[in-house]
Amino acid sequence: RKEVEQDPGPFNVPEGATVAFNCTYSNSASQSFFWYRQDCRKEPKLLMSVYSSGNEDGRFTAQLNRASQYISLLIRDSKLSDSATYLCVVNPPASGGSYIPTFGRGTSLIVHP
Amino acid sequence: DVKVTQSSRYLVKRTGEKVFLECVQDMDHENMFWYRQDPGLGLRLIYFSYDVKMKEKGDIPEGYSVSREKKERFSLILESASTNQTSMYLCASSLLGLGGGRLLDEQYFGPGTRLTVT
């Protein structure tokens, strides 16, 4: 089982829709969770950090559920410009006390007019 | 703004050549990372470094080595390039997290180097 799993999609939604992505992780000792956005042929860029208490940034809401070992990203009122691939990042512990960033394979979102 | 630069956007090399990919960051970040990204496989960590002259293997280190002689520069080396190393290579940097557990702060990525080995 891969450490971090995402539904690859694509999620094809109309403008104005609400869409949610989940990302599951296998190591319960994981720390530091993030969502990144990657546009076609560009580098990933941080979208949001994810905290246990949940956090919101405008139309975007991220949640962490440690009991079920998943993080989620909710996008409300989708815009055409939200079309991109969304990557989740989880940091499971590794030897030597460090934490190793592990990316999901990404979920593709296509917002159409 | 944090800036992470990579020496080349596109590179074409022949099988067996030694290849150097350079990455420089200008924000005094302790952590630096090398990933490769392939369709359907996502980003996979090759090597990372938490300090100068320090390196640790990621998930797929075979066929690669790294060098970090200065804090701002992290080099990826393909000792003898092979066609299965054709990929997009992404460098990233981040601040060291708090405490001995080295929790990861957000990563800043360079624009990537698309390497083709023929």
Side-chain angles (χ1 to χ4, degrees):
Chain A
R1 178 186 170 188
K2 197 174 188 300
E3 287 217 52
V4 179
E5 295 203 51
Q6 294 182 251
D7 182 342
F11 285 66
N12 204 317
V13 303
E15 271 186 294
T18 295
V19 62
F21 310 134
N22 277 348
C23 172
T24 59
Y25 60 95
S26 59
N27 191 322
S28 60
S30 296
Q31 306 287 335
S32 296
F33 305 88
F34 303 90
W35 283 102
Y36 281 73
R37 171 193 169 127
Q38 186 173 24
D39 293 296
C40 188
R41 299 184 185 280
K42 297 282 191 179
E43 71 273 21
K45 293 188 178 178
L46 180 71
L47 180 66
M48 300 178 77
S49 301
V50 189
Y51 307 115
S52 297
S53 55
N55 49 313
E56 187 173 315
D57 183 4
R59 297 181 293 107
F60 299 83
T61 301
Q63 294 273 357
L64 166 63
N65 186 316
R66 284 195 181 273
S68 301
Q69 293 180 209
Y70 72 87
I71 63 173
S72 64
L73 178 67
L74 181 77
I75 305 175
R76 290 179 298 276
D77 189 23
S78 298
K79 312 291 184 192
L80 296 177
S81 56
D82 293 335
S83 298
T85 297
Y86 292 85
L87 306 168
C88 70
V89 185
V90 174
N91 293 281
S95 60
S98 58
Y99 289 80
I100 308 300
T102 303
F103 281 75
R105 296 181 185 185
T107 297
S108 175
L109 173 65
I110 301 169
V111 182
H112 59 82
Chain B
D1 274 353
V2 175
K3 195 169 182 184
V4 181
T5 56
Q6 295 183 227
S7 49
S8 306
R9 292 298 302 271
Y10 300 93
L11 209 52
V12 179
K13 295 291 182 181
R14 293 189 182 278
T15 301
E17 278 193 83
K18 190 169 186 175
V19 182
F20 293 86
L21 302 182
E22 303 285 342
C23 175
V24 178
Q25 51 94 3
D26 66 358
M27 284 301 290
D28 204 35
H29 284 173
E30 285 85 0
N31 302 333
M32 295 190 76
F33 307 83
W34 274 107
Y35 296 88
R36 62 178 284 177
Q37 187 173 30
D38 301 286
L41 296 177
L43 273 96
R44 293 179 292 167
L45 183 63
I46 304 171
Y47 268 97
F48 60 102
S49 169
Y50 287 132
D51 202 351
V52 175
K53 295 192 186 294
M54 180 272 178
K55 59 186 178 185
E56 289 195 29
K57 294 179 180 179
D59 298 318
I60 51 163
E62 296 79 19
Y64 303 94
S65 62
V66 290
S67 172
R68 191 153 180 215
E69 295 297 317
K70 293 185 177 181
K71 190 175 186 180
E72 67 271 18
R73 187 180 297 269
F74 192 35
S75 303
L76 180 69
I77 303 149
L78 287 66
E79 295 289 341
S80 178
S82 62
T83 55
N84 63 11
Q85 293 178 309
T86 291
S87 186
M88 170 67 83
Y89 289 87
L90 289 157
C91 174
S93 73
S94 73
L95 283 170
L96 187 64
L98 298 175
R102 301 180 184 270
L103 296 181
L104 185 69
D105 199 356
E106 70 171 283
Q107 296 178 81
Y108 295 85
F109 284 84
T113 296
R114 186 165 294 280
L115 172 66
T116 302
V117 183
T118 61

CSV table of all heavy atoms in Angstrom, one decimal, chain A residues 3 25-33 64-70 90-95 97-100 102, chain B residues 101-104:
chain,number,residue,atom,x,y,z
A,3,GLU,N,2.1,4.9,0.7
A,3,GLU,CA,2.0,5.7,2.0
A,3,GLU,C,0.9,6.8,1.9
A,3,GLU,O,0.3,7.1,2.9
A,3,GLU,CB,3.3,6.3,2.3
A,3,GLU,CG,4.3,5.3,2.8
A,3,GLU,CD,5.2,5.8,3.9
A,3,GLU,OE1,4.7,6.4,4.9
A,3,GLU,OE2,6.4,5.7,3.8
A,25,TYR,N,-3.4,8.5,4.3
A,25,TYR,CA,-2.0,8.2,4.6
A,25,TYR,C,-2.0,7.0,5.5
A,25,TYR,O,-2.9,6.8,6.3
A,25,TYR,CB,-1.3,9.4,5.2
A,25,TYR,CG,-1.8,10.0,6.5
A,25,TYR,CD1,-1.3,9.6,7.7
A,25,TYR,CD2,-2.8,10.9,6.5
A,25,TYR,CE1,-1.8,10.1,8.9
A,25,TYR,CE2,-3.3,11.4,7.6
A,25,TYR,CZ,-2.8,11.0,8.9
A,25,TYR,OH,-3.3,11.5,10.0
A,26,SER,N,-0.9,6.3,5.4
A,26,SER,CA,-0.8,5.0,6.1
A,26,SER,C,-0.1,5.0,7.5
A,26,SER,O,-0.4,4.2,8.3
A,26,SER,CB,-0.2,3.9,5.2
A,26,SER,OG,1.1,4.3,4.9
A,27,ASN,N,0.8,6.0,7.6
A,27,ASN,CA,1.6,6.0,8.9
A,27,ASN,C,1.0,7.0,9.9
A,27,ASN,O,0.9,8.2,9.7
A,27,ASN,CB,3.0,6.5,8.6
A,27,ASN,CG,4.0,6.3,9.7
A,27,ASN,OD1,3.6,6.5,10.9
A,27,ASN,ND2,5.2,5.8,9.4
A,28,SER,N,0.4,6.4,11.0
A,28,SER,CA,-0.3,7.2,11.9
A,28,SER,C,0.6,8.2,12.7
A,28,SER,O,0.1,9.2,13.3
A,28,SER,CB,-1.0,6.3,13.0
A,28,SER,OG,0.0,5.5,13.7
A,29,ALA,N,1.9,8.1,12.6
A,29,ALA,CA,2.9,9.0,13.3
A,29,ALA,C,3.2,10.2,12.4
A,29,ALA,O,4.1,11.0,12.7
A,29,ALA,CB,4.1,8.2,13.7
A,30,SER,N,2.6,10.3,11.2
A,30,SER,CA,2.9,11.3,10.3
A,30,SER,C,2.6,12.7,10.9
A,30,SER,O,1.7,12.9,11.7
A,30,SER,CB,2.1,11.2,9.0
A,30,SER,OG,2.5,10.0,8.3
A,31,GLN,N,3.5,13.7,10.5
A,31,GLN,CA,3.3,15.1,10.9
A,31,GLN,C,3.3,16.0,9.7
A,31,GLN,O,3.8,15.6,8.6
A,31,GLN,CB,4.5,15.4,11.9
A,31,GLN,CG,4.7,14.5,13.0
A,31,GLN,CD,3.6,14.7,14.1
A,31,GLN,OE1,3.0,15.8,14.2
A,31,GLN,NE2,3.4,13.7,14.9
A,32,SER,N,3.0,17.2,9.9
A,32,SER,CA,3.1,18.3,8.9
A,32,SER,C,2.4,17.9,7.6
A,32,SER,O,3.0,17.2,6.8
A,32,SER,CB,4.5,18.6,8.6
A,32,SER,OG,5.2,19.1,9.7
A,33,PHE,N,1.2,18.4,7.4
A,33,PHE,CA,0.4,18.0,6.2
A,33,PHE,C,0.2,19.3,5.4
A,33,PHE,O,-0.1,20.4,6.0
A,33,PHE,CB,-1.0,17.5,6.7
A,33,PHE,CG,-0.8,16.3,7.6
A,33,PHE,CD1,-0.7,16.5,9.0
A,33,PHE,CD2,-0.8,15.0,7.1
A,33,PHE,CE1,-0.6,15.4,9.9
A,33,PHE,CE2,-0.7,13.9,8.0
A,33,PHE,CZ,-0.6,14.1,9.4
A,64,LEU,N,-7.9,18.0,8.7
A,64,LEU,CA,-7.1,16.8,9.0
A,64,LEU,C,-7.9,15.9,9.9
A,64,LEU,O,-8.4,16.4,10.9
A,64,LEU,CB,-5.8,17.2,9.7
A,64,LEU,CG,-5.0,16.1,10.4
A,64,LEU,CD1,-4.5,15.1,9.4
A,64,LEU,CD2,-3.8,16.7,11.2
A,65,ASN,N,-8.0,14.7,9.6
A,65,ASN,CA,-8.7,13.7,10.5
A,65,ASN,C,-7.7,12.6,10.8
A,65,ASN,O,-7.4,11.7,10.1
A,65,ASN,CB,-9.9,13.1,9.7
A,65,ASN,CG,-10.7,12.2,10.6
A,65,ASN,OD1,-10.2,11.4,11.4
A,65,ASN,ND2,-12.0,12.3,10.5
A,66,ARG,N,-7.1,12.8,12.0
A,66,ARG,CA,-6.1,11.8,12.4
A,66,ARG,C,-6.6,10.5,12.7
A,66,ARG,O,-6.0,9.5,12.5
A,66,ARG,CB,-5.3,12.4,13.7
A,66,ARG,CG,-4.4,13.5,13.4
A,66,ARG,CD,-3.4,13.7,14.6
A,66,ARG,NE,-2.5,14.8,14.3
A,66,ARG,CZ,-1.3,14.7,13.8
A,66,ARG,NH1,-1.0,13.5,13.3
A,66,ARG,NH2,-0.5,15.7,13.6
A,67,ALA,N,-7.8,10.4,13.3
A,67,ALA,CA,-8.4,9.1,13.6
A,67,ALA,C,-8.6,8.2,12.4
A,67,ALA,O,-8.3,7.0,12.4
A,67,ALA,CB,-9.7,9.3,14.3
A,68,SER,N,-9.0,8.8,11.3
A,68,SER,CA,-9.2,8.1,10.0
A,68,SER,C,-8.0,8.2,9.1
A,68,SER,O,-8.1,7.6,8.0
A,68,SER,CB,-10.5,8.5,9.4
A,68,SER,OG,-11.6,8.3,10.2
A,69,GLN,N,-7.1,9.0,9.5
A,69,GLN,CA,-5.8,9.1,8.7
A,69,GLN,C,-6.1,9.6,7.3
A,69,GLN,O,-5.7,9.0,6.3
A,69,GLN,CB,-5.0,7.8,8.7
A,69,GLN,CG,-4.5,7.5,10.1
A,69,GLN,CD,-3.6,6.2,10.1
A,69,GLN,OE1,-3.6,5.6,11.1
A,69,GLN,NE2,-3.0,5.9,9.0
A,70,TYR,N,-6.8,10.8,7.2
A,70,TYR,CA,-6.9,11.4,5.9
A,70,TYR,C,-6.9,12.9,6.1
A,70,TYR,O,-7.2,13.5,7.2
A,70,TYR,CB,-8.1,11.0,5.2
A,70,TYR,CG,-9.5,11.5,5.7
A,70,TYR,CD1,-10.0,12.7,5.2
A,70,TYR,CD2,-10.2,10.7,6.6
A,70,TYR,CE1,-11.2,13.2,5.7
A,70,TYR,CE2,-11.4,11.2,7.0
A,70,TYR,CZ,-11.9,12.4,6.6
A,70,TYR,OH,-13.1,12.8,7.1
A,90,VAL,N,2.4,14.5,3.0
A,90,VAL,CA,2.4,14.0,4.4
A,90,VAL,C,3.9,13.7,4.8
A,90,VAL,O,4.7,13.4,3.9
A,90,VAL,CB,1.6,12.7,4.4
A,90,VAL,CG1,1.6,12.0,5.8
A,90,VAL,CG2,0.1,13.0,4.0
A,91,ASN,N,4.2,13.9,6.0
A,91,ASN,CA,5.5,13.7,6.5
A,91,ASN,C,5.6,12.6,7.5
A,91,ASN,O,5.5,12.8,8.7
A,91,ASN,CB,6.1,15.0,7.0
A,91,ASN,CG,6.2,16.0,5.9
A,91,ASN,OD1,7.2,16.0,5.2
A,91,ASN,ND2,5.3,16.9,5.8
A,92,PRO,N,5.8,11.3,7.1
A,92,PRO,CA,6.0,10.2,8.0
A,92,PRO,C,7.4,10.2,8.6
A,92,PRO,O,8.3,10.7,8.0
A,92,PRO,CB,5.7,9.0,7.1
A,92,PRO,CG,6.1,9.4,5.8
A,92,PRO,CD,5.8,10.9,5.7
A,93,PRO,N,7.5,9.7,9.8
A,93,PRO,CA,8.9,9.6,10.4
A,93,PRO,C,9.8,8.6,9.7
A,93,PRO,O,9.3,7.6,9.2
A,93,PRO,CB,8.6,9.2,11.9
A,93,PRO,CG,7.3,8.5,11.8
A,93,PRO,CD,6.5,9.1,10.7
A,94,ALA,N,11.0,8.9,9.7
A,94,ALA,CA,12.0,8.1,9.1
A,94,ALA,C,13.1,7.8,10.2
A,94,ALA,O,13.1,8.3,11.3
A,94,ALA,CB,12.6,8.7,7.9
A,95,SER,N,14.1,7.0,9.8
A,95,SER,CA,15.2,6.7,10.7
A,95,SER,C,15.9,8.0,11.1
A,95,SER,O,16.0,8.9,10.3
A,95,SER,CB,16.1,5.7,10.1
A,95,SER,OG,16.6,6.2,8.9
A,97,GLY,N,15.2,10.1,13.3
A,97,GLY,CA,14.3,11.2,13.9
A,97,GLY,C,13.9,12.2,13.0
A,97,GLY,O,13.2,13.2,13.4
A,98,SER,N,14.2,12.1,11.7
A,98,SER,CA,13.7,13.1,10.7
A,98,SER,C,12.4,12.6,10.1
A,98,SER,O,11.9,11.5,10.4
A,98,SER,CB,14.8,13.2,9.6
A,98,SER,OG,15.0,12.0,9.0
A,99,TYR,N,11.8,13.6,9.4
A,99,TYR,CA,10.5,13.3,8.7
A,99,TYR,C,10.7,13.5,7.2
A,99,TYR,O,11.3,14.5,6.8
A,99,TYR,CB,9.4,14.2,9.3
A,99,TYR,CG,9.0,13.9,10.7
A,99,TYR,CD1,9.7,14.3,11.8
A,99,TYR,CD2,7.8,13.2,10.9
A,99,TYR,CE1,9.4,14.0,13.1
A,99,TYR,CE2,7.5,12.8,12.2
A,99,TYR,CZ,8.2,13.2,13.3
A,99,TYR,OH,7.9,12.9,14.5
A,100,ILE,N,10.2,12.6,6.5
A,100,ILE,CA,10.4,12.6,5.0
A,100,ILE,C,9.2,13.0,4.3
A,100,ILE,O,8.1,12.3,4.4
A,100,ILE,CB,10.9,11.2,4.6
A,100,ILE,CG1,12.0,10.6,5.4
A,100,ILE,CG2,11.2,11.2,3.1
A,100,ILE,CD1,13.2,11.5,5.4
A,102,THR,N,6.4,13.1,1.8
A,102,THR,CA,5.9,12.1,0.8
A,102,THR,C,4.7,12.7,0.1
A,102,THR,O,3.7,13.1,0.8
A,102,THR,CB,5.5,10.8,1.6
A,102,THR,OG1,6.6,10.3,2.3
A,102,THR,CG2,5.0,9.7,0.6
B,101,GLY,N,12.9,16.7,16.0
B,101,GLY,CA,12.1,15.9,15.0
B,101,GLY,C,12.2,16.4,13.6
B,101,GLY,O,11.8,15.7,12.7
B,102,ARG,N,12.7,17.6,13.4
B,102,ARG,CA,12.9,18.1,12.1
B,102,ARG,C,11.6,18.1,11.3
B,102,ARG,O,11.6,17.6,10.2
B,102,ARG,CB,14.0,17.4,11.3
B,102,ARG,CG,15.4,17.4,12.0
B,102,ARG,CD,16.4,16.6,11.2
B,102,ARG,NE,17.7,16.5,11.8
B,102,ARG,CZ,18.6,17.4,11.7
B,102,ARG,NH1,18.5,18.5,10.9
B,102,ARG,NH2,19.8,17.3,12.3
B,103,LEU,N,10.6,18.6,11.9
B,103,LEU,CA,9.3,18.7,11.1
B,103,LEU,C,9.5,19.6,9.9
B,103,LEU,O,10.1,20.6,10.0
B,103,LEU,CB,8.2,19.2,12.0
B,103,LEU,CG,7.8,18.3,13.2
B,103,LEU,CD1,6.7,18.9,14.0
B,103,LEU,CD2,7.4,16.9,12.7
B,104,LEU,N,8.8,19.3,8.9
B,104,LEU,CA,9.1,20.0,7.6
B,104,LEU,C,8.2,21.2,7.5
B,104,LEU,O,7.0,21.2,7.9
B,104,LEU,CB,8.7,19.1,6.5
B,104,LEU,CG,9.0,19.7,5.1
B,104,LEU,CD1,10.5,19.8,4.8
B,104,LEU,CD2,8.3,18.8,4.0
